[in-house]
Amino acid sequence: MKKIIVSALCMIFLFASCEDDLDINRDPDRLSPDGVAPATELPSAITGIVGAQGAEFAIIGGMWSQFWAQSNAANQYRTIDAYSINSTNYQGAWNNMYDALGDVRNIKRNAFEAGNWNYYLIATTLEVYGSQILADWYDDIPYEDANDFTNFEPSFNTGEQVYDLMIADLNDALSKNLASSQGSAPQSDDFIFAGDMSKWVQFANTLKLKIYLRQTNARPSVAQSGIATLGNNFLSEDAAMTQFIDEANRSNPLYESDRRQLNTATNLRASTTMHSFLSDNADPRLDAFYGTGVPLNQGDYQSGAAPASISIVNLSATTPVYFISAEHSMFMQAEARERYSAGAGAKALYDAAVTESFNKWGFDAAPFIASGGVYEYPTAGTLEEKLEAIITQKWISSFPGNGFESFFEHNRTGIPAESSVAQSDPGYVSGQFAYSVEGSTGGEFPQRLEWPNDELTRNANAPSTPVKITVPVWWK
């Protein structure tokens, strides 16, 4: 596997937000991997994952979750909006994620040898988090062999194998006695929880919940039995990196890559899909997500409409990058309660999650979730109606940077529904996913990404047969 050599901290997307936490003259990627202090390597591991998920994966995920559409006044992301990206496009996220996972796995190896169970749990949780993103995009990925930093041609595990291995690794890390952890304890080098290990336990448990829920279609008995073992110690606050400031190379990676590095604010325009749903429900998040103007039908970058009339997506340099937000944790818990606990407590979790999403944008959710409100939980409804409420709000709360998660959830659940008519048709239902106007896949929505050409040509153990983006991953 190709290993991109990056500088110690934040260089995947040129971040420079951490100089107080690291001697920048000592690059972990250029040191012997043996015995590197975890506090030296953890910042680059975290920011590497943040950079990989927060730029290319966020842009593709947001496009395919229909948060935004490619502007008709530019062409930066036309291949994404037309479903025509292939193995030669957007390879950076794969390479950058594996580069970050190289740091993570080195921390894990050194922590295990030292009996430092705090860093062992942190590294395992990050390893599983990044690997699940890769597995959900690409299906088969290197996982077991990727732990060997001397092996540049690792074998691929199937997506199903990766899922089982991730659960086993989390169980192993969670089984360690953190009270007997040896060596240094994480502090400011931990950009997510500042060394609060109780939060890392919750993060790991919430990851297990996400892994099991993703299997509700493919392996329902595994999902149900796995969730039954979890208890209730899940995240109640954001697992996020928040240290961004509005300066070049120190800002949110989506903002940095789309706005600052491209030196334009006009590539991403409001998609009719999300815009119409928020507008029809008088949702105040509409104005937070988008500027004034009308939306663009998904994929309609050949539209003759005046570009100045089309709403631009609002992005901020200081928006956190969420690994798992508090609201996503609660939405997942609500779904699990509905599926496996006869709905006990699901409404309260749903209400709290919607409230948290509104709060993040400075709005009050109370009138929306109250009796008669447009987002009132359908307590007396069917399981399908309850799941529709949960996953729809989860979709909205993924804006702007976690569109890849709502893309995966759409593929798993079919929520939001897919429109049978074009968005230009009077019968279009607001919020339904619409096939791209310029779509190149014959009416089929994307399901995945193709394995990068870099990997296919340089790794003799990579799959020999390419798969198209319309081929579902294993759990669908």
Side-chain angles (χ1 to χ4, degrees):
M1 182 193 311
K2 180 180 180 183
K3 173 103 163 62
I4 305 297
I5 302 299
V6 295
S7 66
L9 184 60
C10 311
M11 289 302 292
I12 287 175
F13 284 95
L14 305 180
F15 296 160
S17 58
C18 324
E19 57 263 28
D20 293 337
D21 299 280
L22 179 69
D23 177 357
I24 60 174
N25 295 311
R26 299 179 70 249
D27 181 345
D29 281 339
R30 298 182 186 276
L31 297 173
S32 167
D34 296 320
V36 177
T40 298
E41 206 160 15
L42 184 59
S44 62
I46 292 174
T47 54
I49 293 173
V50 162
Q53 80 163 67
E56 286 187 357
F57 284 155
I59 289 168
I60 300 169
M63 194 78 75
W64 289 355
S65 283
Q66 306 200 359
F67 297 167
W68 44 68
Q70 168 61 54
S71 171
N72 62 343
N75 58 18
Q76 185 70 29
Y77 307 122
R78 288 189 175 190
T79 55
I80 303 173
D81 213 358
Y83 312 146
S84 60
I85 64 174
N86 56 41
S87 64
T88 64
N89 306 126
Y90 299 100
Q91 301 183 78
W94 167 284
N95 292 326
N96 292 335
M97 185 67 85
Y98 270 113
D99 184 70
L101 289 174
D103 291 333
V104 166
R105 285 166 170 145
N106 198 53
I107 295 168
K108 181 179 176 180
R109 182 176 64 89
N110 287 328
F112 179 81
E113 292 174 356
N116 191 322
W117 305 131
N118 289 329
Y119 278 104
Y120 188 72
L121 175 60
I122 289 173
T124 302
T125 304
L126 291 172
E127 175 187 31
V128 169
Y129 175 80
S131 297
Q132 188 184 17
I133 293 174
L134 290 170
D136 288 348
W137 274 120
Y138 298 97
D139 206 359
D140 300 356
I141 62 168
Y143 189 85
E144 282 182 297
D145 283 0
N147 285 298
D148 181 359
F149 62 87
T150 67
N151 182 0
F152 294 96
E153 293 186 322
S155 298
F156 279 55
N157 293 104
T158 67
E160 187 171 356
Q161 288 172 338
V162 171
Y163 263 59
D164 289 340
L165 290 164
M166 291 190 299
I167 288 293
D169 283 346
L170 287 171
N171 286 340
D172 172 58
L174 287 166
S175 73
K176 306 302 183 186
N177 182 4
L178 299 183
S180 67
S181 181
Q182 303 297 304
S184 62
Q187 298 181 51
S188 61
D189 55 302
D190 171 9
F191 296 156
I192 303 173
F193 296 124
D196 187 336
M197 294 309 301
S198 67
K199 298 296 188 296
W200 280 102
V201 170
Q202 292 176 349
F203 189 179
N205 284 332
T206 310
L207 263 181
K208 290 176 67 177
L209 176 60
K210 182 155 76 84
I211 290 167
Y212 284 128
L213 283 174
R214 202 78 94 209
Q215 300 178 73
T216 52
N217 296 332
R219 299 198 297 185
S221 62
V222 170
Q224 182 171 2
S225 61
I227 288 172
T229 69
L230 292 183
N232 294 304
N233 190 24
F234 301 117
L235 285 168
S236 58
E237 63 182 63
D238 300 323
M241 182 172 171
T242 62
Q243 293 89 344
F244 304 109
I245 61 175
D246 189 5
E247 290 183 10
N249 307 324
R250 303 180 71 175
S251 57
N252 170 284
L254 176 57
Y255 181 92
E256 184 73 17
S257 61
D258 178 68
R259 298 293 159 89
R260 203 187 307 273
Q261 292 184 7
L262 294 179
N263 196 29
T264 179
T266 61
N267 270 308
L268 299 178
R269 303 294 180 126
S271 169
T272 293
T273 310
M274 177 73 82
H275 190 285
S276 66
F277 185 83
L278 297 177
S279 179
D280 284 1
N281 287 293
D283 191 321
R285 291 175 291 185
L286 175 69
D287 292 335
F289 291 4
Y290 307 115
T292 58
V294 298
L296 192 65
N297 290 342
Q298 193 67 45
D300 194 16
Y301 51 75
Q302 303 283 13
S303 169
S309 70
I310 302 173
S311 176
I312 294 172
V313 173
N314 292 330
L315 295 178
S316 169
T318 58
T319 298
V321 168
Y322 297 99
F323 294 82
I324 299 178
S325 67
E327 57 267 36
H328 274 211
S329 174
M330 291 184 283
F331 282 131
M332 287 191 288
Q333 293 174 64
E335 178 182 349
R337 298 287 186 92
E338 287 294 357
R339 287 186 183 274
Y340 308 123
S341 299
K347 179 186 184 306
L349 286 161
Y350 168 88
D351 287 350
V354 177
T355 298
E356 177 66 19
S357 179
F358 271 70
N359 285 346
K360 276 189 167 69
W361 299 97
F363 302 117
D364 180 12
F368 292 86
I369 59 177
S371 178
V374 292
Y375 299 149
E376 178 187 4
Y377 193 67
T379 305
T382 64
L383 174 61
E384 290 71 23
E385 290 169 335
K386 293 170 182 175
L387 293 179
E388 181 179 9
I390 292 167
I391 303 301
T392 298
Q393 289 302 315
K394 192 176 180 184
W395 167 57
I396 300 169
S397 69
S398 296
F399 184 97
N402 290 83
F404 55 90
E405 279 296 327
S406 51
F407 169 73
F408 302 148
E409 288 293 80
H410 170 74
N411 286 343
R412 175 177 72 98
T413 66
I415 302 168
E418 294 173 2
S419 178
S420 61
V421 299
Q423 290 177 318
S424 58
D425 191 293
Y428 171 72
V429 176
S430 65
Q432 290 191 347
F433 275 30
Y435 185 74
S436 170
V437 172
E438 297 291 336
S440 61
T441 53
E444 294 185 72
F445 285 87
Q447 303 291 322
R448 57 177 297 147
L449 291 174
E450 295 186 23
W451 293 303
N453 187 64
D454 283 352
E455 192 73 21
L456 296 178
T457 58
R458 301 182 188 189
N459 181 356
N461 291 314
S464 58
T465 304
V467 292
K468 299 302 182 184
I469 62 173
T470 52
V471 176
V473 299
W474 76 276
W475 44 252
K476 185 178 180 181

